[in-house]
Amino acid sequence: MSLTTYQLKMVIALILIMIISCYAVHWVYFKILRIAKDKNIVDNPDARKLQKTPIPVMGGIAVFFGLLVGVLASTALPYHFPEHTSLFPIICAMSLMLYIGAMDDIVGLTARSRLVIEILTILGLIYSSGGCIDTFRGLWGIYQFSWWIGVPLTVVAGVGIINAVNMIDGVNGLSSGLCMVCSAMFGVLFVRSGDMHNAYLAFAMAASLLPFFVHNVFGMRSRMFIGDAGTMVMGIMMTWFVMCILKNDTRLTYYAGAKGVNLIALALAIMSVPVFDTLRVMTMRIMKGINPFRPDKTHLHHVFINIGISHSITSLTEILIASTIVAIWAIADKTRVSYDMQLYIVIIASVVLVWGTYFFLRYHVNHHTNLLHRLTHFSVATHLGRREWWKRLTSILDAPEKDEYLTVDDEAHAEHMTRKYEHQSPYEQSRLKVRTYVMSRAESVIEDIREYSGASKEYVDKILKDAIEDGRIVVVKYDKDGNPEMIAKVEE
């Protein structure tokens, strides 16, 4: 089927905007990285975080720069669509979120102050745009309702989305990868409904996240975290997209009416991983009498890391989970499942795939089952950074080698460890390295400890024997000759 002139203009405009946004981030990225390192604006490692060395934390500023350039360029293209003034509220809201997030990254803000600012920003977004979640379109027999209900509902949903996106930012490529995919999905939806100004915004965000994602995943010299500045911008944008889909005068009215598409189920499916993971985490914290905003290591990505799965495969797995839930919704929609049932199917799929995956893995971690033994053996293969093809790809995608100002992350870690152990004997240095390796995962294969912990191999067996005798680690599996094959840390 041939494209009409209008459709061709849309395609060309979207492609040009994505190219411009992507190049803008590529151009500014290393300049911001240099500033972050020069001014020591970094995320320092601690007991809760997974990195081993300080990492620059201004990636969100680079992404926002590309987004703004892309949206601005869309107004100058010959294929201009006269609707861009409607983006003014969300551009202002994202700018405010960027500013607050950057403050949090640099000087730190309390959870209460952030919450108040998020609420005020969403209220400003509602009243400046004139839209909010004010209809269920027949779900449970509920149609349009008063703003006295719609405004609080939108605020609760928006605060939840912003914090959900922020809370999943725990491993390389996860928050940026998920939001890149979510933006693309929302973008396709807006294109199909003719809402081109939001389509521009969605695809500009997806394209802006791509260079950051590449450096975040493959970077050694160029790795930078997106920071709270980035997650808050992504969160308020996802909130905006949900508002635009679920408000009464949405461009998607035809799909919700004539085609029976449950837009609430669709939006929830797209945002399923961050939303359902955060719901579980906050519920568990409240049940334990802990502040729900207090950081911990109980997210879905933490359990993957705990069994030894690499960051990149963890991120890919969660993105695939989200995509699977959207596919399940699409199948339900195509098979003419009822309006209400579409939502129930999304909720069930999300509970099974997001909550179920977490509790399934936690059970095997807690009981040191045979499946966990197999996963521990398999996890070594997920660390692609040890493979030659990954190293060659990293050398292509990473920072220019001529820029001596940037430090390779592995070299920085090695230097940090050298300083940490410089006053220790060789045996003590090896003991601390073995302990660090063992404590980072639920179980460890002894051969992997010898190979990857960085300890001198001549000391490993004695170190492990002493630790077993002292009760600091336990043997969870023996080989066919009766020798220890796998060990686990003793939970404190």
Side-chain angles (χ1 to χ4, degrees):
M1 183 176 65
S2 59
L3 294 175
T4 65
T5 302
Y6 178 79
Q7 290 172 332
L8 184 61
K9 286 183 178 181
M10 287 195 299
V11 171
I12 293 174
L14 287 170
I15 292 173
L16 288 175
I17 290 167
M18 291 177 70
I19 292 173
I20 291 168
S21 296
C22 189
Y23 180 77
V25 176
H26 172 74
W27 176 80
V28 81
Y29 186 91
F30 291 105
K31 295 173 176 57
I32 292 176
L33 178 61
R34 181 181 292 271
I35 293 171
K37 290 198 172 188
D38 185 52
K39 301 300 181 182
N40 197 37
I41 304 175
V42 297
D43 186 41
N44 290 300
D46 59 27
R48 181 180 60 85
K49 297 172 183 175
L50 300 176
Q51 82 266 24
K52 300 174 183 177
T53 55
I55 303 293
V57 69
M58 292 178 65
I61 296 175
V63 171
F64 188 64
F65 176 83
L67 176 66
L68 285 183
V69 171
V71 173
L72 182 62
S74 70
T75 66
L77 292 175
Y79 313 108
H80 170 61
F81 298 87
E83 297 173 313
H84 292 82
T85 54
S86 60
L87 294 181
F88 179 76
I90 183 57
I91 295 296
C92 290
M94 287 191 294
S95 300
L96 181 58
M97 288 291 97
L98 182 83
Y99 189 85
I100 297 304
M103 288 178 59
D104 198 20
D105 289 329
I106 297 170
V107 299
L109 296 174
T110 64
R112 180 177 298 178
S113 61
R114 280 183 41 158
L115 181 62
V116 170
I117 294 169
E118 289 167 7
I119 292 172
L120 293 176
T121 301
I122 295 170
L123 287 172
L125 190 59
I126 291 170
Y127 286 103
S128 60
S129 67
C132 70
I133 303 172
D134 56 359
T135 179
F136 279 4
R137 300 192 179 281
L139 178 67
W140 304 318
I142 302 173
Y143 290 87
Q144 188 173 359
F145 42 78
S146 167
W147 270 42
W148 290 105
I149 299 174
V151 170
L153 177 62
T154 305
V155 169
V156 171
V159 169
I161 291 172
I162 293 170
N163 285 281
V165 172
N166 180 262
M167 286 182 177
I168 64 166
D169 184 37
V171 298
N172 298 331
L174 180 53
S175 64
S176 57
L178 265 175
C179 286
M180 185 166 56
V181 172
C182 291
S183 294
M185 289 179 179
F186 281 124
V188 170
L189 194 60
F190 290 131
V191 169
R192 295 193 63 179
S193 66
D195 189 354
M196 290 310 299
H197 59 304
N198 275 321
Y200 290 160
L201 188 64
F203 281 107
M205 172 58 90
S208 298
L209 284 168
L210 180 58
F212 170 82
F213 176 83
V214 169
H215 289 298
N216 190 236
V217 172
F218 295 96
M220 299 294 286
R221 298 159 57 83
S222 63
R223 179 169 296 146
M224 186 158 51
F225 289 168
I226 201 161
D228 287 343
T231 58
M232 294 183 78
V233 167
M234 293 188 295
I236 196 68
M237 177 173 281
M238 296 301 113
T239 299
W240 170 258
F241 290 155
V242 171
M243 282 175 52
C244 290
I245 290 173
L246 302 183
K247 64 182 181 179
N248 183 54
D249 59 346
T250 177
R251 294 283 190 91
L252 295 163
T253 300
Y254 168 72
Y255 291 95
K259 294 200 172 186
V261 174
N262 189 328
L263 297 177
I264 297 174
L266 174 56
L268 185 60
I270 293 174
M271 298 300 300
S272 55
V273 167
V275 168
F276 277 86
D277 190 41
T278 300
L279 281 174
R280 178 191 55 76
V281 168
M282 298 188 80
T283 300
M284 290 175 64
R285 291 174 185 171
I286 292 171
M287 290 174 63
K288 294 177 181 178
I290 301 173
N291 185 336
F293 294 99
R294 179 182 175 182
D296 59 20
K297 298 180 75 170
T298 59
H299 284 280
L300 179 58
H301 58 263
H302 286 123
V303 75
F304 279 113
I305 298 299
N306 193 33
I307 61 177
I309 304 297
S310 69
H311 284 225
S312 56
I313 299 302
T314 295
S315 297
L316 177 61
T317 301
E318 294 202 34
I319 291 171
L320 288 175
I321 288 174
S323 302
T324 300
I325 294 170
V326 174
I328 290 171
W329 167 84
I331 292 171
D333 175 61
K334 292 298 182 183
T335 53
R336 304 293 183 180
V337 170
S338 70
Y339 198 78
D340 289 10
M341 187 57 66
Q342 290 180 38
L343 178 62
Y344 303 146
I345 288 173
V346 168
I347 292 173
I348 293 170
S350 300
V351 168
V352 170
L353 293 175
V354 181
W355 294 5
T357 300
Y358 176 84
F359 288 116
F360 176 80
L361 293 177
R362 281 302 308 171
Y363 171 84
H364 290 280
V365 166
N366 292 338
H367 293 84
H368 294 285
T369 63
N370 287 329
L371 177 61
L372 180 62
H373 301 337
R374 290 195 290 270
L375 288 173
T376 302
H377 278 289
F378 165 76
S379 67
V380 175
T382 70
H383 290 263
L384 304 177
R386 297 164 182 163
R387 300 178 182 271
E388 287 302 319
W389 66 266
W390 185 278
K391 293 177 181 177
R392 287 196 297 270
L393 187 58
T394 295
S395 67
I396 296 171
L397 299 175
D398 207 3
E401 292 186 7
K402 63 182 181 181
D403 194 343
E404 298 179 357
Y405 184 88
L406 304 176
T407 304
V408 177
D409 189 42
D410 279 357
E411 292 179 356
H413 176 55
E415 182 181 348
H416 169 74
M417 297 300 280
T418 299
R419 289 197 304 269
K420 181 178 179 179
Y421 301 140
E422 62 184 79
H423 300 300
Q424 306 284 350
S425 67
Y427 177 83
E428 186 64 17
Q429 291 181 25
S430 293
R431 190 187 70 80
L432 292 173
K433 290 176 180 178
V434 167
R435 182 181 184 279
T436 299
Y437 186 91
V438 171
M439 295 301 291
S440 68
R441 60 202 69 212
E443 293 182 350
S444 303
V445 180
I446 291 178
E447 186 57 39
D448 293 341
I449 297 173
R450 296 191 186 101
E451 188 69 26
Y452 303 119
S453 68
S456 297
K457 294 182 180 180
E458 60 185 295
Y459 297 130
V460 170
D461 288 342
K462 177 172 172 42
I463 292 168
L464 293 177
K465 180 181 178 181
D466 291 344
I468 292 170
E469 290 177 352
D470 292 343
R472 285 173 282 142
I473 60 175
V474 294
V475 179
V476 294
K477 185 180 179 182
Y478 293 87
D479 62 21
K480 59 183 180 181
D481 297 323
N483 299 314
E485 180 182 349
M486 300 180 68
I487 54 93
K489 59 188 176 183
V490 175
E491 300 291 344
E492 297 179 355

